[in-house]
Coordinates of all heavy atoms in Angstrom, one line a residue:
Q1 N -0.9 -5.5 -12.6 CA 0.0 -4.4 -12.6 C -0.7 -3.1 -12.8 O -0.5 -2.0 -12.2 CB 1.1 -4.5 -13.5 CG 2.2 -3.3 -13.5 CD 2.9 -3.4 -12.2 OE1 3.4 -4.4 -11.7 NE2 3.1 -2.2 -11.6
A2 N -1.7 -3.1 -13.7 CA -2.5 -1.9 -13.9 C -3.3 -1.6 -12.6 O -3.4 -0.3 -12.3 CB -3.6 -2.2 -15.1
D3 N -3.7 -2.5 -11.8 CA -4.4 -2.2 -10.5 C -3.5 -1.5 -9.6 O -3.7 -0.5 -9.0 CB -5.0 -3.5 -10.0 CG -6.2 -3.9 -10.7 OD1 -6.9 -3.2 -11.4 OD2 -6.4 -5.2 -10.6
L4 N -2.2 -2.1 -9.5 CA -1.2 -1.5 -8.6 C -0.9 -0.1 -9.1 O -0.6 0.8 -8.2 CB 0.1 -2.3 -8.7 CG 0.0 -3.8 -8.2 CD1 1.3 -4.4 -8.2 CD2 -0.5 -3.8 -6.7
D5 N -0.9 0.2 -10.3 CA -0.4 1.5 -10.8 C -1.6 2.6 -10.6 O -1.4 3.7 -10.7 CB 0.0 1.6 -12.2 CG 1.2 0.7 -12.5 OD1 1.9 0.5 -11.5 OD2 1.4 0.3 -13.6
A6 N -2.8 2.2 -10.4 CA -4.0 3.0 -10.3 C -3.9 3.8 -9.0 O -3.6 3.2 -8.0 CB -5.3 2.2 -10.4
D7 N -4.2 5.1 -9.0 CA -4.3 5.8 -7.9 C -5.7 5.7 -7.1 O -6.4 6.7 -7.0 CB -4.0 7.3 -8.2 CG -3.8 8.3 -7.1 OD1 -3.5 7.8 -6.0 OD2 -4.0 9.5 -7.2
I8 N -5.8 4.6 -6.5 CA -7.2 4.3 -6.0 C -7.1 3.7 -4.5 O -8.0 3.5 -3.9 CB -8.0 3.2 -6.9 CG1 -7.1 2.0 -6.8 CG2 -8.2 3.8 -8.1 CD1 -8.0 0.8 -7.6
W9 N -5.8 3.7 -4.0 CA -5.7 2.8 -2.8 C -5.8 3.6 -1.5 O -6.2 3.1 -0.5 CB -4.2 2.2 -2.9 CG -4.1 1.3 -4.0 CD1 -3.5 1.6 -5.3 CD2 -4.7 0.0 -4.1 NE1 -3.6 0.5 -6.1 CE2 -4.4 -0.5 -5.5 CE3 -5.4 -0.8 -3.4 CZ2 -4.7 -1.8 -5.9 CZ3 -5.8 -2.1 -3.7 CH2 -5.4 -2.6 -5.1
G10 N -5.4 4.9 -1.5 CA -5.7 5.6 -0.2 C -5.1 5.0 1.1 O -5.9 5.0 2.1
G11 N -3.9 4.5 1.1 CA -3.3 3.9 2.2 C -3.4 2.4 2.2 O -3.0 1.8 3.3
A12 N -4.2 1.8 1.3 CA -4.3 0.3 1.4 C -3.8 -0.4 0.2 O -4.1 -1.4 -0.3 CB -5.8 0.1 1.4
H13 N -2.7 0.2 -0.5 CA -2.1 -0.3 -1.6 C -1.5 -1.8 -1.2 O -1.0 -1.8 -0.1 CB -0.9 0.6 -2.1 CG -0.3 0.2 -3.3 ND1 0.6 -0.9 -3.5 CD2 -0.4 0.7 -4.6 CE1 1.0 -1.0 -4.8 NE2 0.4 -0.1 -5.5
P14 N -1.6 -2.7 -1.9 CA -1.2 -4.2 -1.6 C 0.4 -4.2 -1.2 O 0.7 -5.0 -0.4 CB -1.4 -4.9 -2.8 CG -2.6 -4.2 -3.5 CD -2.3 -2.7 -3.3
L15 N 1.2 -3.3 -1.9 CA 2.6 -3.5 -1.7 C 3.3 -2.2 -1.0 O 4.4 -2.3 -0.6 CB 3.3 -3.7 -3.1 CG 2.8 -4.8 -3.9 CD1 3.5 -4.9 -5.2 CD2 2.9 -6.2 -3.1
E16 N 2.6 -1.1 -0.9 CA 3.3 0.1 -0.5 C 2.6 0.9 0.6 O 1.3 1.0 0.5 CB 3.6 1.0 -1.8 CG 4.4 0.4 -2.8 CD 4.6 1.3 -4.0 OE1 3.9 2.4 -4.0 OE2 5.1 0.9 -5.0
D17 N 3.3 1.4 1.5 CA 2.7 2.4 2.5 C 1.4 1.8 3.1 O 0.4 2.6 3.3 CB 2.4 3.7 1.7 CG 2.1 4.8 2.7 OD1 2.7 4.9 3.8 OD2 1.3 5.7 2.3
R18 N 1.4 0.6 3.5 CA 0.3 0.1 4.2 C 0.3 0.4 5.7 O 1.4 0.6 6.3 CB 0.3 -1.5 4.1 CG 0.0 -1.9 2.7 CD -0.1 -3.5 2.6 NE -1.3 -3.9 3.4 CZ -2.6 -3.8 3.0 NH1 -2.7 -3.3 1.8 NH2 -3.5 -4.2 3.7
D19 N -0.9 0.7 6.3 CA -0.9 1.2 7.6 C -0.2 0.3 8.6 O 0.5 0.7 9.6 CB -2.3 1.4 8.1 CG -3.1 2.6 7.3 OD1 -2.3 3.4 6.8 OD2 -4.3 2.6 7.4
E20 N -0.3 -1.1 8.5 CA 0.3 -1.9 9.3 C 1.9 -1.9 9.4 O 2.5 -2.5 10.3 CB -0.2 -3.4 9.1 CG 0.1 -3.9 7.7 CD -1.1 -3.8 6.8 OE1 -1.8 -2.7 6.9 OE2 -1.3 -4.7 6.0
V21 N 2.5 -1.3 8.4 CA 3.9 -1.1 8.5 C 4.4 -0.4 9.7 O 5.5 -0.7 10.2 CB 4.5 -0.4 7.1 CG1 4.3 1.1 7.2 CG2 6.0 -0.7 7.0
H22 N 3.5 0.4 10.2 CA 3.8 1.2 11.4 C 3.9 0.3 12.7 O 4.6 0.8 13.7 CB 3.1 2.5 11.5 CG 3.1 3.3 10.3 ND1 4.3 4.1 10.0 CD2 2.3 3.6 9.3 CE1 4.1 4.7 8.9 NE2 2.9 4.5 8.4
D23 N 3.3 -0.9 12.5 CA 3.4 -1.7 13.7 C 4.8 -2.2 13.9 O 5.4 -2.4 15.0 CB 2.5 -3.0 13.5 CG 1.1 -2.6 13.5 OD1 0.7 -1.6 14.1 OD2 0.2 -3.4 13.0
I24 N 5.5 -2.4 12.7 CA 6.9 -2.7 12.8 C 7.8 -1.7 13.3 O 8.6 -2.0 14.3 CB 7.4 -3.0 11.3 CG1 6.6 -4.2 10.7 CG2 8.9 -3.3 11.3 CD1 6.8 -4.4 9.2
Y25 N 7.5 -0.4 13.0 CA 8.4 0.7 13.4 C 8.1 1.0 14.9 O 9.0 1.5 15.5 CB 8.3 1.8 12.5 CG 8.6 1.5 11.1 CD1 8.0 1.9 10.0 CD2 9.8 0.7 10.9 CE1 8.4 1.5 8.7 CE2 10.3 0.2 9.6 CZ 9.5 0.8 8.6 OH 9.8 0.3 7.3

């Protein structure tokens, strides 16, 4: 959870705002 809360993802967060979500849309 600490990793998830860290501001280090830049569009590659495991659970949120992943680039591949746009393939769905």
Side-chain angles (χ1 to χ4, degrees):
Q1 185 63 47
D3 291 333
L4 293 180
D5 293 341
D7 186 18
I8 60 174
W9 298 101
H13 191 282
L15 304 180
E16 298 176 2
D17 191 31
R18 296 186 60 78
D19 290 342
E20 58 264 35
V21 76
H22 301 289
D23 295 337
I24 298 167
Y25 299 137

